[in-house]
Amino acid sequence: MTGLLPGEVTAPQGETAVLVAVQSALAGRPGGLSTARGLSHCGAHSIGWVAAALIGAAINRRDKARRRSWLAAGAGAFGAHAASVIIKRVVRRRRPSHEAVRVNVGTPSRLSFPSSHATSTAAAAVLLAPLTGLPLPALLIPPMALSRLVLGVHYPTDVAAGAALGALIGTAVRRADSRLALKEEQV
């Protein structure tokens, strides 16, 4: 028994309180939910990042090294997504379920840790930044991380862990791609 009267709601605490505060601050702003949902669609299963990488590879089809780097970026983003899904199945943390949290999008599972969207986005940002010359980690990771909170489908540590995992995977793929490029130059 919780000791609550009918209709009474427990106050959110810890990460749930942070999640509710983010939702209160951003979800009601003009374009807040639609932007978060758009980011969610782009990051779902790393589809948007793989598509961007394939477009980059097609544009650079005559430059073998750049084309390979664009393809590596897509593979890295997809691989990061896959790694996050495996970790989710091991950890089995449930998504936020407090009555004060508004869930504003559907999800393919009830598992939360780490955020696959944050993971694939961080990997893509790390891998695509040198190819585009843009500060993509700063431009892509914070909005994607916030969008997962606005949508009510992750705790803050889910997105932080996902972003860290994705950055590590992206860095590893970028280093491997650089080593391969050096070997090709030596041939």
Side-chain angles (χ1 to χ4, degrees):
M1 205 60 166
T2 63
L4 296 176
L5 299 174
E8 208 173 24
V9 176
T10 61
Q13 297 188 7
E15 284 195 88
T16 303
V18 173
L19 177 54
V20 169
V22 169
Q23 285 191 317
S24 296
L26 300 176
R29 291 185 179 250
L33 280 178
S34 60
T35 299
R37 287 183 182 124
L39 286 167
S40 184
H41 291 304
C42 181
H45 310 291
S46 68
I47 292 170
W49 311 130
V50 171
L54 290 174
I55 291 167
I59 291 169
N60 290 280
R61 67 184 174 275
R62 294 185 183 168
D63 183 336
K64 185 178 177 183
R66 280 189 62 79
R67 181 178 187 275
R68 188 198 59 252
S69 292
W70 279 95
L71 292 172
F78 183 77
H81 170 77
S84 71
V85 169
I86 291 167
I87 293 169
K88 271 184 204 234
R89 291 183 179 169
V90 171
V91 173
R92 306 198 66 75
R93 182 183 196 185
R94 297 300 220 180
R95 292 190 187 273
S97 62
H98 191 278
E99 50 273 348
V101 175
R102 294 179 312 278
V103 177
N104 295 304
V105 70
T107 60
S109 82
R110 293 185 177 146
L111 303 177
S112 185
F113 182 90
S115 164
S116 295
H117 283 74
T119 305
S120 66
T121 298
V126 166
L127 289 161
L128 295 173
L131 295 169
T132 63
L134 297 171
L136 294 180
L139 295 174
L140 297 177
I141 298 170
M144 182 61 80
L146 278 174
S147 78
R148 307 314 290 159
L149 301 179
V150 168
L151 294 172
V153 294
H154 286 289
Y155 294 102
T157 53
D158 298 339
V159 295
L165 175 63
L168 286 171
I169 292 170
T171 300
V173 170
R174 190 170 69 197
R175 287 181 182 157
D177 184 51
S178 294
R179 283 193 298 273
L180 186 58
L182 283 174
K183 284 181 182 179
E184 286 179 354
E185 287 176 13
Q186 294 171 351
V187 174

